[in-house]
Amino acid sequence: MRKNKILVIHTGGIGDLVMATPSLKAIRHVFSKATIHFLGNPKSVEVIQRLPYVDEILKINTVEVKRYFLA
């Protein structure tokens, strides 16, 4: 049997994350057996750590990534 994995990528601000929280809850509800990974900036990670919908949290410095690709 294949295990489902979902990666949620967030590069916006805290307000965007707050608005997306119901979506994370819905993803968890629909894909209850999936492993959900969250990739976001350090501020987002602080918020997401308090939510039960994500299994693994990964940090990325979005400022550096944007600088790299927009340079």
Side-chain angles (χ1 to χ4, degrees):
M1 182 175 191
R2 187 174 165 189
K3 185 173 181 178
N4 293 325
K5 295 180 182 179
I6 299 170
L7 173 63
V8 176
I9 301 173
H10 178 265
T11 59
I14 298 297
D16 295 335
L17 180 59
V18 170
M19 297 299 287
T21 300
S23 298
L24 289 171
K25 183 178 180 180
I27 292 169
R28 171 53 68 205
H29 178 74
V30 172
F31 300 100
S32 60
K33 296 185 186 213
T35 303
I36 301 174
H37 303 270
F38 178 87
L39 176 65
N41 61 43
K43 292 285 186 189
S44 298
V45 167
E46 288 179 28
V47 173
I48 208 74
Q49 287 175 336
R50 294 167 172 48
L51 300 176
Y53 316 125
V54 176
D55 298 306
E56 186 173 343
I57 300 170
L58 308 164
K59 292 181 190 178
I60 186 169
N61 186 336
T62 53
V63 173
E64 289 298 321
V65 171
K66 288 176 185 176
R67 186 177 302 144
Y68 178 79
F69 284 104
L70 298 175

